Amino acid sequence: IEYKLSQQLIEEIEEKSTFYDNGGYQGFHTLIGSLGKKVFTFEPDPNNLEELKKNVELNPDQDIEIIEKPLWCKVKDLDLKIDKGGESSVGDGDFRKESTTLDNFVIDQENPVPDIIKIDVEGAEGLVLEGFTETLRQSNDRLVYCEVRPNKMSDYGYVSDEVHQRLEKCGFQVEVLSERESNYFIKA
């Protein structure tokens, strides 16, 4: 599932591309995104941040900015728990971080509109998409890659069809890129 996404990113990133990596983990897709002009990677988990920062430091010529916040549907303090395998999720948690929305980050804080966005947020895809409807409508040359986790989405009150519908309402055509068990990546 990750291999197909990585291939797609390598093919789609252009020298002028601004890439937003939501769920930066340890920076693999962030570094692929750095083939373009600018990368903003969102990663709140302190364990992942440590590795992400090391990997970014090993590539000092790349224009990568790490945002130590989760993207969410609104700006608020979130309790986050560290799950297995480097994943973190909202819930009674191990740490607290203020979230932001992509609309807030791009429109209110005047950061560049993303050309390519990757979303890998452990089932919170629907809530994250709620937070950047305006940004998604701002550019015609944009791609969204999103890992959809139907089994975890119900924890946040969503089903996978709602992710597809939200992207389609913003003018995207949605296609399944790859699948693994019940999880899959979409390209829109």
Side-chain angles (χ1 to χ4, degrees), residues 152-172:
K152 289 189 172 187
M153 291 180 80
S154 61
D155 294 346
Y156 299 101
Y158 271 86
V159 295
S160 58
D161 287 348
E162 291 172 297
V163 169
H164 296 242
Q165 291 166 2
R166 184 170 292 277
L167 289 166
E168 288 166 351
K169 284 181 184 175
C170 291
F172 290 92

Side-chain angles (χ1 to χ4, degrees), residues 7-167:
Q7 281 184 311
Q8 288 279 309
L9 286 174
I10 290 168
E11 291 172 13
E12 297 291 350
I13 297 282
E14 297 176 358
E15 195 173 297
K16 63 179 175 72
S17 296
T18 298
F19 177 61
Y20 281 51
D21 188 356
N22 184 21
Y25 187 49
Q26 296 178 357
F28 181 70
H29 294 120
T30 294
L31 294 175
I32 291 173
S34 73
L35 296 169
K37 178 180 173 185
K38 174 78 177 173
V39 177
F40 294 95
T41 186
F42 296 83
E43 178 55 61
D45 185 312
N47 297 326
N48 293 340
L49 276 167
E50 187 177 326
E51 291 301 315
L52 175 62
K53 287 176 180 178
K54 285 180 191 174
N55 288 327
V56 169
E57 287 170 9
L58 291 171
N59 294 274
D61 296 335
Q62 306 307 319
D63 192 358
I64 300 170
E65 185 173 335
I66 299 170
I67 293 73
E68 297 183 21
K69 296 181 175 192
L71 284 179
W72 199 245
C73 57
K74 57 187 167 188
V75 176
K76 67 179 271 185
D77 286 337
L78 293 175
D79 288 320
L80 301 161
K81 61 183 175 181
I82 298 172
D83 298 326
K84 64 180 182 348
E87 298 178 358
S88 55
S89 58
V90 174
D92 292 335
D94 300 305
F95 63 102
R96 178 174 271 229
K97 289 277 180 140
E98 181 185 46
S99 67
T100 190
T101 69
L102 200 60
D103 284 344
N104 174 272
F105 188 77
V106 172
I107 298 167
D108 298 342
Q109 297 179 30
E110 300 180 355
N111 285 297
V113 174
D115 299 301
I116 301 173
I117 303 166
K118 184 211 86 183
I119 304 168
D120 185 351
V121 290
E122 320 312 334
E125 301 83 48
L127 289 164
V128 169
L129 285 170
E130 280 183 37
F132 62 92
T133 303
E134 293 306 313
T135 300
L136 286 175
R137 293 184 175 140
Q138 282 192 11
S139 172
N140 292 327
D141 299 324
R142 66 211 189 286
L143 286 169
V144 176
Y145 293 95
C146 181
E147 183 171 18
V148 179
R149 294 181 172 225
N151 292 343
K152 289 189 172 187
M153 291 180 80
S154 61
D155 294 346
Y156 299 101
Y158 271 86
V159 295
S160 58
D161 287 348
E162 291 172 297
V163 169
H164 296 242
Q165 291 166 2
R166 184 170 292 277
L167 289 166

